[in-house]
Amino acid sequence: MNDSPGWASPGSSPSDGERPGTDGGAQQPAAPAQPEQPAQPTGGPKWSAEQPPPGQWSSPGTTPEAPQTQPQPTTGWGQQPGTPQAGQYGSQYGYPGGPGQWGQPPAAKPGVIPLRPLGLGEILDGAVATMRTHWRSVLPITLVVATVVQVISVIVQKFMLDDITFAANPDAGPEEVFDSLGSTLGASAVIQFIQALGTIVVTAMLTMVFSRAVLGQQSSVSGAWREARPQLLRLIGLTLLLALGAVLLGAVLILPGALTDTVGLVVLGVLVWVPLLVWLGIRFSLASPALMLEKSSVFKAFARSSKLVKNTWWRIFGITILTTLIAFFISAMIVAPFQILSLLAFSGGLDALEDGSGMNNWGALIAPAIGLIIAQTIVMPFQSGVTVLLYVDQRIRREGLDLELARAAGLENYGTTGG
């Protein structure tokens, strides 16, 4: 028997170290005594006697002389994408795809995704299925956070727009204009900080919800918060490091041209900075679920994401871009009617829009905020779900995580030969 029992093709003889009594056909006393068995051109009599009846072939890996045992938890970790594990093709639940699919059942699916490498449609469908099946956990998290963020943003914008209107007054002096613009920039920074903080909280809690949905387990809002809270500060640190790195990278590439007043250097710096931001953004796109689900440190999460994305950058880039476009169009379709309502009903006409006085009343601010609350309630879990499922998919492809997930879901005999 060779060292790879799952890869012998049906009807072939053992490749390495035949059992006693099968040495090259020199010892074949049983051939005349079994007329009901058809003669095999390449195998010994004992191998031929153990062949299954015609029409009952199972997948490679189900050779009768080598019963498989349950793999250990570390089996398959570090496995390259598309490399099946020994004995897994003859498992009770099967493993679609790859060589040898004779009569195999579909892969086990304890939760929202099947336990095998996922396609684009399965990742998107898994995110939507989680939102639909576990809406009692997903909806309160996103709705509450989005509402809090938009309420704070509306209050801050009210005073920010007052300052903009005051700064636009032709009678205002230079000092007053600079003070107004400074307060405006400060208010904008506060809004961005609140929105970023809300996104981090939603991401942390939804990661836990989606991780349980993969196993077919229910989550509660309190349970998701309890599991996410220990890693929340680290997730904030990870997000701040990403933002700081982007700013420092831009400063290194653009500032030399800006300080020397060289337009060519500025343009060159921007042309280098943007592709680097995209490349690094995809490379570290799985750091957040790695940090939350592996309970790792910030820098270990960066390293894990880089390892998981390696050699699959373009695939993850394409899925991320498609997810972003879907989220953008959904948000635009939801927010646009509320913005139109704000312009027509609360802005006070074109004259009020020209001098800015029609933008700072409560109606003009609240109407778009309601649209944003609805849009974020739908879009945030969708984007978070795709990121988590991409992380799970990459670990299944590279590390055999499907075995761990099957055991965590309580599936018996997963990864062992059936029959």
Side-chain angles (χ1 to χ4, degrees):
M1 178 61 69
N2 56 20
D3 294 332
S4 301
W7 289 97
S9 59
S12 63
S13 59
S15 57
D16 299 326
E18 286 87 349
R19 290 187 299 271
T22 61
D23 188 9
Q27 302 176 8
Q28 297 185 6
Q34 297 183 2
E36 68 279 6
Q37 296 290 342
Q40 300 292 333
T42 59
K46 188 171 182 179
W47 177 266
S48 176
E50 293 180 358
Q51 292 286 355
Q56 297 185 15
W57 281 109
S58 59
S59 59
T62 57
T63 52
E65 70 279 11
Q68 301 296 320
T69 57
Q70 182 74 15
Q72 296 301 318
T74 57
T75 303
W77 284 64
Q79 196 171 342
Q80 294 299 320
T83 304
Q85 190 171 340
Q88 189 170 353
Y89 280 110
S91 66
Q92 176 182 351
Y93 298 99
Y95 194 97
Q101 301 187 47
W102 298 293
Q104 286 193 342
K109 188 178 179 181
V112 294
I113 59 170
L115 300 185
R116 56 171 170 78
L118 304 174
L120 169 63
E122 291 169 326
I123 292 175
L124 300 179
D125 180 71
V128 175
T130 302
M131 295 167 57
R132 183 176 62 251
T133 306
H134 302 272
W135 64 270
R136 290 181 179 85
S137 301
V138 173
L139 181 62
I141 293 172
T142 55
L143 181 59
V144 170
V145 173
T147 302
V148 171
V149 169
Q150 291 305 317
V151 167
I152 296 176
S153 297
V154 166
I155 294 174
V156 174
Q157 285 179 40
K158 172 64 177 175
F159 299 101
M160 179 186 74
L161 292 176
D162 285 339
D163 288 336
I164 290 178
T165 304
F166 180 75
N169 187 352
D171 297 331
E175 184 176 354
E176 295 172 335
V177 171
F178 281 114
D179 289 341
S180 299
L181 292 178
S183 61
T184 299
L185 292 177
S188 299
V190 171
I191 292 175
Q192 295 299 322
F193 176 78
I194 295 298
Q195 290 179 342
L197 187 61
T199 302
I200 291 172
V201 173
V202 169
T203 300
M205 298 180 67
L206 289 182
T207 298
M208 299 306 173
V209 173
F210 276 91
S211 66
R212 289 190 173 274
V214 169
L215 304 176
Q217 300 175 357
Q218 294 290 334
S219 299
S220 63
V221 176
S222 60
W225 171 251
R226 186 169 55 252
E227 293 177 349
R229 185 174 54 189
Q231 293 292 102
L232 197 56
L233 288 179
R234 291 182 178 179
L235 185 59
I236 294 174
L238 184 146
T239 305
L240 291 178
L241 277 179
L242 286 175
L244 180 61
V247 172
L248 291 178
L249 184 62
V252 170
L253 294 174
I254 299 175
L255 273 183
L259 294 177
T260 59
D261 199 17
T262 306
V263 177
L265 281 179
V266 173
V267 173
L268 180 61
V270 172
L271 292 178
V272 175
W273 182 45
V274 173
L276 276 178
L277 280 182
V278 175
W279 182 76
L280 290 174
I282 299 300
R283 187 177 181 87
F284 298 134
S285 61
L286 303 183
S288 173
L291 182 141
M292 297 301 300
L293 298 178
E294 298 180 22
K295 311 298 183 184
S296 63
S297 63
V298 172
F299 293 102
K300 286 184 178 180
F302 283 133
R304 287 288 291 147
S305 178
S306 179
K307 179 181 178 181
L308 293 173
V309 174
K310 185 179 180 181
N311 298 327
T312 57
W313 188 94
W314 284 106
R315 176 177 180 269
I316 296 177
F317 170 76
I319 295 175
T320 303
I321 290 297
L322 179 61
T323 303
T324 303
L325 290 176
I326 293 174
F328 171 78
F329 284 116
I330 292 175
S331 298
M333 288 188 296
I334 295 174
V335 175
F338 290 91
Q339 289 180 331
I340 295 174
L341 176 64
S342 171
L343 292 174
L344 296 179
F346 302 108
S347 297
L350 295 177
D351 294 337
L353 289 176
E354 289 178 359
D355 59 15
S357 61
M359 300 174 61
N360 61 347
N361 63 76
W362 289 108
L365 295 174
I366 293 176
I370 294 175
L372 286 172
I373 290 173
I374 299 173
Q376 290 177 352
T377 301
I378 298 173
V379 166
M380 283 195 295
F382 176 69
Q383 291 181 301
S384 298
V386 170
T387 302
V388 173
L389 295 181
L390 267 175
Y391 164 81
V392 173
D393 174 57
Q394 288 302 109
R395 289 200 61 187
I396 289 176
R397 292 172 181 269
R398 293 181 178 270
E399 301 173 353
L401 183 65
D402 55 325
L403 299 176
E404 298 294 331
L405 294 175
R407 279 190 282 273
L411 300 180
E412 297 180 358
N413 301 323
Y414 183 87
T416 62
T417 54

